[in-house]
Amino acid sequence: MSIENTSVNKSFGGWHKRYSHHSKVLNCQMQFAIYLPPQASNGEKVPVLYWLSGLTCTDENFMQKSGIQLLASELGIAIVAPDTSPRGKDVADADSYDLGQGAGFYLNATQEPWNKHYHMYDYVVEELPALIESTFPVTDKRSISGHSMGGHGALVVALRNAAAYQSVSAFSPICHPSITPWGKKAFAAYLGRDKALWRDYDASILLSDATDFVPALVDQGLADEFLKEQLKTEHLQSIAKLKDFPIQINYREGYDHSYYFISSFIESHLRFHAKYLKK
């Protein structure tokens, strides 16, 4: 697969790069960002943390706002951030921010017109890691993290593919999308009205059925305006307790849904992943 480098910036001794490539899975041109720590320039293969962003975001939001490059440089971990959906003039879209381009929900759509392009689950789980591991000096050790819609995606991916990931973490994840306005709107459009099909993309339901786990960390701000209606952290927490799932959930007083919250605790998340990626 050919890829095109569209920008390069040196950062903390490593390199932040953006690439464009044609995705067979999504049937369109896609972009992603990768931070390669200095160890990757010295003949060493490094493990990878995949980051999934939230509604309306691109690959740039996290890379520019989180400040993760400093610690990634120290720990020797590559960071990969894909876009949040397929994009382009021929890609289906909607007038609202929570459906269509910028709102892929990290699932495989089955309904028209979405099913032509919206297969973000397969892109994140299969196509993108294969591209990263065949192109860059990285190992096959992976962890995954994300925020909001991306936190939902990270939890779903890790719960469905426990053997492929060393750890998972999330900031303000949509924990039970089958019962929230964001989730119900997206699932009905992308997957149809049969709620049995929604189960494969609902972290709370997947956790209740899971037999294999990976270590997990969740941070949730108590001043988050979406906590009560959209995120439903309490559902994930109650199921995790019943299942004895190895998850740490931190409620952070005064913190909201923004990147101020993410940048405040991104160090603890990367150090958490490093424990498992660097074994």
Side-chain angles (χ1 to χ4, degrees):
M1 184 185 299
S2 62
I3 64 173
E4 179 187 359
N5 181 213
T6 58
S7 69
V8 179
N9 300 95
K10 193 163 189 179
S11 178
F12 298 105
W15 295 95
H16 173 266
K17 301 182 179 184
R18 296 184 78 207
Y19 288 89
S20 175
H21 73 104
H22 180 78
S23 166
K24 292 182 179 179
V25 167
L26 301 176
N27 193 29
C28 68
Q29 200 72 9
M30 285 295 287
Q31 62 185 16
F32 66 87
I34 183 169
Y35 176 72
L36 292 166
Q39 294 87 341
S41 298
N42 298 324
E44 179 181 342
K45 287 191 172 185
V46 298
V48 182
L49 175 67
Y50 289 85
W51 172 270
L52 307 182
S53 287
L55 289 166
T56 75
C57 291
T58 69
D59 59 289
E60 293 189 282
N61 297 74
F62 178 71
M63 291 300 209
Q64 292 185 1
K65 295 180 179 180
S66 69
I68 199 170
Q69 290 89 347
L70 174 60
L71 191 59
S73 172
E74 173 193 324
L75 296 174
I77 296 173
I79 312 297
V80 172
D83 203 348
T84 53
S85 78
R87 295 183 193 266
K89 64 180 182 179
D90 296 324
V91 175
D93 201 4
D95 292 334
S96 56
Y97 75 96
D98 53 356
L99 188 68
Q101 296 187 35
F105 269 84
Y106 304 103
L107 50 73
N108 291 336
T110 61
Q111 304 298 300
E112 294 184 349
W114 313 104
N115 56 358
K116 182 178 179 182
H117 298 284
Y118 284 75
H119 296 104
M120 286 297 294
Y121 176 84
D122 283 350
Y123 179 71
V124 167
V125 173
E126 298 176 5
E127 187 177 30
L128 182 60
L131 175 60
I132 297 298
E133 291 167 16
S134 65
T135 306
F136 301 100
V138 301
T139 71
D140 60 0
K141 278 196 170 184
R142 312 171 193 165
S143 289
I144 192 164
S145 185
H147 171 233
S148 193
M149 177 186 73
H152 137 78
L155 291 171
V156 166
V157 166
L159 284 166
R160 290 180 59 176
N161 304 274
Y165 295 89
Q166 307 299 309
S167 52
V168 60
S169 75
F171 289 86
S172 316
I174 307 171
C175 295
H176 197 1
S178 295
I179 66 168
T180 69
W182 278 342
K184 288 191 287 187
K185 179 178 180 177
F187 286 4
Y190 296 141
L191 302 172
R193 296 292 177 179
D194 182 359
K195 293 186 178 180
L197 301 177
W198 299 10
R199 298 176 64 87
D200 286 343
Y201 302 102
D202 188 307
S204 292
I205 295 173
L206 288 169
L207 180 56
S208 68
D209 296 336
T211 56
D212 297 318
F213 306 127
V214 296
L217 171 65
V218 169
D219 269 281
Q220 176 58 60
L222 288 175
D224 190 322
E225 65 269 37
F226 303 115
L227 175 57
K228 183 176 180 180
E229 184 179 29
Q230 302 282 15
L231 305 182
K232 304 296 182 182
T233 314
E234 70 278 7
H235 287 268
L236 188 73
Q237 186 173 28
S238 63
I239 295 168
K241 186 175 181 180
L242 288 172
K243 298 282 290 188
D244 198 25
F245 177 48
I247 186 170
Q248 177 182 344
I249 299 179
N250 301 316
Y251 291 97
R252 305 294 189 177
E253 188 70 43
Y255 286 91
D256 57 19
H257 200 73
S258 70
Y259 268 86
Y260 293 107
F261 172 46
I262 295 171
S263 61
S264 296
F265 297 101
I266 193 63
E267 179 177 353
S268 64
H269 279 241
L270 191 54
R271 290 196 184 278
F272 165 79
H273 291 297
K275 289 189 299 183
Y276 303 100
L277 287 170
K278 303 291 282 188
K279 276 187 177 180

